[in-house]
Amino acid sequence: MAPIAGRERASGPALVLGSASSGILELIVFHPIDTIAKRLMYNQQKMFGGGNSFKEGMSVLNTVVFKEAATKGNLAKYFSLFPGLGFAAGYKVAQRVYKFGGQPFVNEYLKTKHSDSFKKAFGERRAKPMMQATAGSLIGIGEIVLLPMDVLKIKKQTNPQSLAGKNLFQIIYQEGFGLYRGATWTAARNAPGSFALFGGSAFTKEYIFKLEDYGKATFFQNFCASIAGSVASITVAAPLDVVKTRIQAKAKDQVESGTAIVMKMVRQEGFGAFFKGLLPKILVVGPKLIFSFTIAQQLIPIFQKMLDKKEQQ
């Protein structure tokens, strides 16, 4: 995340408060769309083509998206898209605080300790966005510490039967280290995904808008940079994201390795299966990222000013 104008980096408390608030508001607005994307990625049925009529395909799509609520009214269908909200809230807030709040610290470390190395490797101008991208990638890899919350959120969204009638402690006891299932695939997805997210945003500000201070970007510049970085990130990470989702959504007695899932996908569904759910994610990435980015960018300076005033009193 870009620094606030006039500051090298916002303080830790301001970053945490702004990022957490952004995550909560983002969750309320976008959790239903995330559920749809996850259910489409987990689905292994052919919806359209393969001899299915359009009506039959729509019926399968309706069942995949709304599950038990497929035959109920519109309101029931809508609320069915909020499974695992507790897990999702914990994960989303922690993720936003970790990623948006942590990346500036890693970027600052790279600037302080390795700036000359980046300048020698990439040149004076490219060094800054490359440090932003590298800091994002490192933060992305470390995000696997949050994996248990992500696993439980995805299970609740795609395979709720595996958690039915169990409290949190029973689930943890039952799953054990299975909550870190797919950690390797998650790290493999996050490294290029976060690199593209922060790198794409930084390169847009550096080369399209020619900004020297990313923190002085206008609303429109932030919008464009966020869209560029986010679309690049989701597209690059899509194949590994599908594999990760299927690994995590499996019940404990149905565990398959990532390699086995990849082979089965190629054999049974074709290479297009690696991009299932990509369109909903790309369609939501614009408003989702501009929403969360705008909220964070608006709130972090406000919290920083409040904290500065408190210190001066």
Side-chain angles (χ1 to χ4, degrees):
M1 186 176 252
I4 299 168
R7 279 181 172 266
E8 188 67 19
R9 175 182 57 77
S11 67
L15 286 169
V16 169
L17 290 169
S19 300
S21 300
S22 172
I24 291 168
L25 293 171
E26 178 187 337
L27 181 74
I28 292 170
V29 176
F30 293 101
H31 186 68
I33 302 172
D34 182 55
T35 297
I36 292 172
K38 287 291 189 297
R39 288 177 176 176
L40 286 172
M41 286 191 285
Y42 184 61
N43 168 55
Q44 299 179 37
Q45 295 176 268
K46 281 195 173 182
M47 290 179 283
F48 300 99
N52 288 347
S53 67
F54 180 76
K55 185 176 180 179
E56 290 171 331
M58 289 301 295
S59 177
V60 174
L61 177 62
N62 183 54
T63 303
V64 168
V65 171
F66 298 110
K67 293 190 173 288
E68 291 81 5
T71 58
K72 298 179 181 179
N74 291 333
L75 192 60
K77 286 182 176 180
Y78 175 73
F79 283 115
S80 75
L81 298 177
F82 283 92
L85 189 59
F87 296 131
Y91 175 68
K92 179 57 66 178
V93 173
Q95 182 197 43
R96 284 295 180 237
V97 170
Y98 172 80
K99 181 170 275 188
F100 287 165
Q103 191 268 353
F105 284 95
V106 179
N107 182 62
E108 185 177 50
Y109 169 79
L110 292 177
K111 285 174 67 176
T112 303
K113 301 292 185 179
H114 304 284
S115 180
D116 291 340
S117 299
F118 275 87
K119 288 177 181 177
K120 288 178 183 177
F122 303 106
E124 186 78 27
R125 189 176 181 189
R126 285 193 291 267
K128 187 161 68 170
M130 284 302 298
M131 281 189 282
Q132 289 275 354
T134 304
S137 185
L138 293 171
I139 280 289
I141 293 170
E143 202 174 329
I144 59 174
V145 299
L146 304 175
L147 201 57
M149 287 187 285
D150 190 27
V151 171
L152 293 174
K153 174 180 76 81
I154 291 174
K155 279 182 179 292
K156 201 70 174 173
Q157 288 175 313
T158 61
N159 192 16
Q161 296 83 2
S162 66
L163 303 179
K166 298 168 186 171
N167 61 40
L168 180 61
F169 295 105
Q170 289 174 320
I171 293 169
I172 292 173
Y173 179 77
Q174 172 190 301
E175 296 291 334
F177 285 104
L179 291 173
Y180 280 95
R181 191 184 307 142
T184 302
W185 289 90
T186 300
R189 177 203 68 165
N190 287 355
S194 293
F195 184 94
L197 174 64
F198 289 99
S201 175
F203 271 93
T204 301
K205 291 177 180 179
E206 184 75 27
Y207 289 96
I208 303 296
F209 298 116
K210 304 186 186 304
L211 295 172
E212 292 185 9
D213 182 354
Y214 298 165
K216 293 181 179 178
T218 64
F219 177 89
F220 177 73
Q221 289 168 336
N222 281 325
F223 174 86
C224 294
S226 297
I227 296 300
S230 301
V231 172
S233 174
I234 286 178
T235 304
V236 165
L240 290 169
D241 197 29
V242 173
V243 175
K244 178 191 80 81
T245 297
R246 294 194 181 190
I247 290 172
Q248 293 175 331
K250 294 284 186 181
K252 190 175 182 180
D253 58 352
Q254 299 176 331
V255 174
E256 284 185 285
S257 69
T259 303
I261 289 174
V262 169
M263 296 300 292
K264 185 185 290 187
M265 287 171 64
V266 173
R267 186 170 59 252
Q268 296 181 358
E269 304 171 63
F271 286 100
F274 289 101
F275 293 93
K276 280 187 173 180
L278 179 60
L279 184 58
K281 294 192 84 172
I282 286 182
L283 288 176
V284 76
V285 115
K288 184 175 182 177
L289 258 292
I290 191 60
F291 178 87
S292 60
F293 182 83
T294 301
I295 294 296
Q297 286 293 93
Q298 291 296 318
L299 289 183
I300 289 173
I302 291 173
F303 283 124
Q304 187 64 65
K305 288 178 181 177
M306 290 170 61
L307 292 169
D308 289 343
K309 285 183 180 179
K310 190 174 181 180
E311 287 180 1
Q312 292 170 5
Q313 289 176 354

